[in-house]
C-alpha cells in the first residue's frame, strides 16, 4: 500500500526528541511492528485514507461507516451524547455535529496502539482528533 499524502498541516508532526526516536524505531521495524501488519484495526484517521471502499449510512442519531478493509465499522454519534468515560477504543469514540452543511467529528478515547501511517507516526491515548471534510456531499430525499 503506498504511503499516501500526509495529513498533518506543515507535513511533519513536531515530535519531541524521544518521540522522534520512537518514530524512527517504528519505521525501522514497520514490517512487523505496524498494527496493520498484525491485522489490528487502523484507528482514526488512518481508516479514512486507506485505499479501500466504504459505505456511509445515516440515521437521525448516528452515521455509520462500513469499510471493506477487514469488515471494520465506525459509528459517529450525532445525537448530542457525550463520549464515554473510562474506555479507550481502537477506532476512538466519534461524536459529530453539524455546522451548517458541514459535519465536524471529534474523536476521543483512542487507545495508543494505532499508527497514523506506515511511516511509524504514532500517538498516545491522549489523542484528540477533529475531522473536517475536504469535500461536502449533499444528499436529498428523492421521495
Amino acid at each position: 500500500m503506498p504511503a499516501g499524502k500526509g495529513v498533518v498541516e506543515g507535513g511533519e508532526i513536531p515530535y519531541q526528541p524521544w518521540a522522534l526516536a520512537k518514530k524512527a524505531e517504528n519505521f525501522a521495524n514497520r514490517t512487523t511492528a505496524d498494527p496493520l501488519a498484525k491485522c489490528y484495526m487502523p484507528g482514526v484517521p488512518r481508516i479514512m485514507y486507506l485505499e479501500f471502499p466504504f459505505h456511509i449510512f445515516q440515521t437521525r442519531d448516528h452515521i455509520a461507516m462500513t469499510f471493506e478493509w477487514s469488515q471494520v465499522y465506525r459509528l459517529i454519534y450525532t445525537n448530542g451524547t457525550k463520549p464515554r468515560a473510562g474506555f479507550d477504543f481502537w477506532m476512538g469514540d466519534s461524536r459529530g455535529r453539524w455546522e451548517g452543511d458541514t459535519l465536524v467529528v471529534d474523536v476521543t478515547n483512542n487507545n495508543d496502539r494505532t499508527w497514523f501511517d506506515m511511516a511509524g507516526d504514532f500517538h498516545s491515548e491522549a489523542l484528540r482528533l477533529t475531522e473536517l471534510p475536504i469535500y461536502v456531499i449533499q444528499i436529498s430525499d428523492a421521495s
Side-chain angles (χ1 to χ4, degrees):
M1 181 181 323
K5 190 174 175 182
V7 296
V8 176
E9 188 173 321
E12 291 291 325
I13 296 173
Y15 286 121
Q16 295 177 1
W18 70 267
L20 194 56
K22 177 64 176 168
K23 176 193 173 181
E25 177 186 332
N26 288 349
F27 181 76
N29 299 314
R30 68 190 175 279
T31 56
T32 57
D34 185 341
L36 288 189
K38 300 175 184 178
C39 294
Y40 293 142
M41 286 189 243
V44 176
R46 193 173 187 184
I47 188 72
M48 299 308 298
Y49 51 82
L50 289 179
E51 55 182 27
F52 293 91
F54 61 92
H55 290 253
I56 301 172
F57 304 91
Q58 183 176 353
T59 70
R60 184 175 51 91
D61 294 331
H62 305 93
I63 295 172
M65 297 178 175
T66 57
F67 298 87
E68 185 176 300
W69 182 88
S70 195
Q71 300 177 354
V72 172
Y73 73 92
R74 177 179 181 199
L75 191 59
I76 301 170
Y77 295 87
T78 56
N79 59 3
T81 58
K82 301 293 180 201
R84 298 178 186 150
F87 292 94
D88 66 10
F89 303 94
W90 281 94
M91 299 296 286
D93 189 345
S94 298
R95 304 296 163 147
R97 67 185 181 282
W98 291 99
E99 294 182 2
D101 290 338
T102 302
L103 176 64
V104 178
V105 181
D106 289 311
V107 187
T108 58
N109 297 340
N110 297 280
N111 72 34
D112 62 355
R113 296 178 299 273
T114 64
W115 289 2
F116 290 129
D117 52 34
M118 292 174 57
D121 285 304
F122 69 101
H123 60 84
S124 74
E125 68 280 349
L127 172 69
R128 180 177 177 168
L129 176 75
T130 301
E131 295 176 280
L132 300 169
I134 297 172
Y135 54 88
V136 176
I137 299 173
Q138 185 173 10
I139 301 172
S140 60
D141 186 356
S143 56

